[in-house]
Each structure stands twice: as structure tokens, then as C-alpha cells.
Amino acid sequence: MIRMLLAEDQHVIREALVTLLSLEPDIEVVEAVESGDAAVAAAMTHRPDVVVLDIDMPGTIDGLDAAAQVRTRLPGCRALMLTGHGKPGHLRRALSSQVDGFMLKTASPEELASAIRKVARGERVLDPSLAVTAWNLADNPLTPREADVLRLVAEGSEPPEIAGRLFLSAGTVRNYITTIVTKLNARNRTDAVRIASEAGWI
């Protein structure tokens, strides 16, 4: 029997998944929670074989951070990420954090149950529709310093404030922003933030 913990913030989806997965003869849903924080706490209590986590959840940590914490505290527990959209940034984070599987919520109950079984056996699972996205993930063109600048731009900071925080001149910060916009083929710095965020570079 595979002991499984589910973390999904949308009540209707969470209850539907519990109902469907409970029909599987070899899967036992030991707990269903609605946040990353609750998932970590529940994993420590129930010590499941597999945690199935939505990525975007309320609370202080998202599903990927929760998966990392569970992996640290329960090395034998496998993590399968579930998301409504295969954003390159999410996929990049999932692959770099070495979660065991990544599935879209559009997967059928049979596909999800199969993914849980594979992950429980120690296999890696990637939703077939995401395979091309994973293959085509571009390398981050930003230098670490450019990424630092763009993160502060994303927070709403203006060049003089960024300069003060990074111990640079305002002119240097403006040069960084121009370089970033050019590298990302963005229309402006707001567009650069969007592109880099979606790609998981900041």
C-alpha cells in the first residue's frame, strides 16, 4: 500500500482528488491539506511514501519549497508536483530541486495514479506534454549581478534605490537594466521582469 499525502489549496480539487485516488486499491490518502506549511507538518506526522503537492499554494512556502523541506526531513519520501500550468519557471525549479515527478492537473485520474506508483518505486515522472518544454528550457542569459538588479526592479525599486542597496552608482544600474532588456529581447524593464520570472531566472 502506498501511503500518500496531498497538498492542494483549492477545496473542490482537493476533495475530488482524495475521492478518486481513494478508489485505487494500492493507494491510501493519509491526509489532505491546503498549504505548503501544512504539508510539511502533516508529512512529519504521517510519514507518507509520496507527497503530491500543488505548486502555487498560500502560506509562507509554496509546493516546491515544501517538497524540499520534506525531502530534507524524510529522505525516503518521494515528491510529485501537480500544477494547473506548466510554466517554464516552475518546471525549471522542479527539475533543479530534483523532485521525483511533475504532472499537470489536466492529467486523467489513471495517469495521476500511475505517476504516484512510479514515483513510489523511485522512478522520475514528467507529464508528456511538458517534455518538449523541459527539453527546450533555455540557459539563463543573466549574470548573477544582472539577476540581482532585476529582482530589485521586480520589487518596484528605482535605479537610485537599487544603486544604494547593491553599492553601485545609479548610472551603472541603468546600464545593467539596459543590458538586461536587450538580452531578454524585452520591450522595457517591466517586460524583462515578466520574461525572467516566467523562465525562472529570478
Side-chain angles (χ1 to χ4, degrees), residues 14-84:
R14 186 170 67 250
E15 293 304 314
L17 288 172
V18 168
T19 300
L20 290 168
L21 291 171
S22 295
L23 296 174
E24 299 295 328
D26 56 344
I27 297 175
E28 176 191 0
V29 182
V30 296
E31 183 76 70
V33 297
E34 62 182 18
S35 71
D37 307 88
V40 174
M44 296 307 102
T45 300
H46 296 284
R47 307 183 77 81
D49 302 306
V50 177
V51 287
V52 176
L53 304 124
D54 185 11
I55 292 180
D56 296 310
M57 289 187 288
T60 58
I61 59 174
D62 66 10
L64 285 167
D65 291 330
Q69 290 192 27
V70 170
R71 176 184 289 277
T72 299
R73 300 185 195 184
L74 293 174
C77 182
R78 307 289 181 178
L80 174 64
M81 307 312 299
L82 198 59
T83 185

Side-chain angles (χ1 to χ4, degrees), residues 132-189:
V132 173
T133 302
W135 186 264
N136 291 328
L137 281 178
D139 290 331
N140 185 351
L142 303 177
T143 65
R145 178 57 90 188
E146 288 166 351
D148 290 340
V149 169
L150 195 56
R151 283 189 200 96
L152 293 175
V153 170
E155 292 174 9
S157 301
E158 291 296 325
E161 182 184 353
I162 296 171
R165 291 175 66 177
L166 298 180
F167 305 102
L168 301 169
S169 72
T172 299
V173 170
R174 289 189 186 91
N175 288 340
Y176 272 125
I177 292 172
T178 299
T179 300
I180 291 165
V181 169
T182 302
K183 277 187 175 182
L184 300 185
N185 292 317
R187 294 186 299 277
N188 49 44
R189 58 181 164 176

Side-chain angles (χ1 to χ4, degrees), residues 107-138:
S108 69
E110 294 79 15
E111 289 171 326
L112 180 57
S114 174
I116 291 169
R117 292 184 186 103
K118 288 178 180 177
V119 164
R121 291 196 299 266
E123 298 177 34
R124 301 283 300 273
V125 176
L126 179 64
D127 192 295
S129 65
L130 296 173
V132 173
T133 302
W135 186 264
N136 291 328
L137 281 178

